[in-house]
Amino acid sequence: MNYFELYHIPESFLPDEKAIKRRYYELSREYHPDFYANEDLGTQQKILELSTLNTNAYRTLSDSDLRMQYILKEHGLLDEGGKNEIPGDFLMEMMEINEELMELEFDFDAAKLHEIGEKSTGTMAQLENDILPVLQRYPELHGVTKEEALEEVKTYYLKKKYLLRIQETLSKFATRS
């Protein structure tokens, strides 16, 4: 079952967080295994599955990155095999940052590390700023317009994942310095 349907909320990248939490608690009470301790094993198993589904739905819908990944997967847009394409200009920019990071491996420079950190933080902020209007208007879109929005979100998601790996590398440098 689709998590948004389970929670009776429209598919959205920016859903009502309170509605998610409220529905989670409603279903947690409804499907609490202790209330079904005297039922037959089949019923107990079904309740346990529903309880697990509720927990997974809550974890996914209450985390913006997991929610984004979930929506993209639901629409068949994330290829697990790795054919997810990132625009070439972005990859070139990231390649430059990666080269600078490799240079830091051999010749550490705190000022350069800070500069790379600022560059990646600025790129992330720009990405988030650019995608926000798409995320906000997504629930109102239909047809081709919705498909185009999903493609924009997919590109954002892939770029963000790439940038997060770079920021993870930066944090490893920071702990060494």
Side-chain angles (χ1 to χ4, degrees):
M1 172 178 268
N2 180 293
Y3 294 161
F4 289 99
E5 291 171 9
L6 177 68
Y7 277 33
H8 303 298
I9 58 174
E11 183 179 272
S12 173
F13 291 102
L14 305 170
D16 179 347
E17 301 283 339
K18 289 180 182 171
I20 291 170
K21 190 173 279 191
R22 186 173 43 253
R23 185 69 174 145
Y24 169 70
Y25 286 124
E26 286 172 7
L27 292 176
S28 291
R29 285 187 295 275
E30 184 177 339
Y31 300 135
H32 197 287
D34 289 350
F35 296 138
Y36 297 88
N38 295 326
E39 298 292 330
D40 62 85
L41 286 178
T43 301
Q44 288 180 18
Q45 183 62 34
K46 179 79 171 148
I47 292 302
L48 187 58
E49 289 170 7
L50 291 169
S51 178
T52 301
L53 176 67
N54 181 41
T55 299
N56 292 338
Y58 180 73
R59 271 195 207 119
T60 300
L61 297 180
S62 62
D63 180 284
S64 61
D65 291 330
L66 292 176
R67 182 174 53 241
M68 187 174 287
Q69 180 183 41
Y70 177 77
I71 292 171
L72 293 170
K73 282 184 177 181
E74 283 291 299
H75 289 275
L77 292 173
L78 285 183
D79 180 14
E80 295 301 323
K83 289 186 179 180
N84 298 308
E85 292 188 22
I86 299 175
D89 58 336
F90 179 81
L91 285 176
M92 290 301 289
E93 186 180 338
M94 294 304 105
M95 191 168 74
E96 288 174 22
I97 290 176
N98 278 319
E99 287 173 359
E100 291 172 343
L101 285 171
M102 285 192 313
E103 288 174 19
L104 285 179
E105 271 299 327
F106 300 109
D107 185 21
F108 184 77
D109 178 354
K112 187 67 174 172
L113 176 66
H114 180 74
E115 180 186 321
I116 296 169
E118 291 292 312
K119 192 185 302 184
S120 74
T121 300
T123 302
M124 183 71 84
Q126 186 62 51
L127 281 176
E128 290 172 353
N129 192 45
D130 291 347
I131 200 64
L132 186 59
V134 176
L135 300 178
Q136 289 171 329
R137 73 174 192 269
Y138 176 78
E140 303 144 17
L141 303 175
H142 302 286
V144 173
T145 314
K146 188 170 199 158
E147 290 171 18
E148 289 170 352
L150 283 166
E151 285 296 333
E152 284 183 60
V153 172
K154 174 186 172 182
T155 300
Y156 161 79
Y157 175 80
L158 295 171
K159 287 178 176 181
K160 182 178 179 183
K161 275 180 63 174
Y162 201 105
L163 268 170
L164 287 173
R165 284 193 300 269
I166 287 175
Q167 289 178 341
E168 188 177 300
T169 302
L170 285 167
S171 68
K172 288 177 187 172
F173 272 110
T175 58
R176 288 192 287 188
S177 60

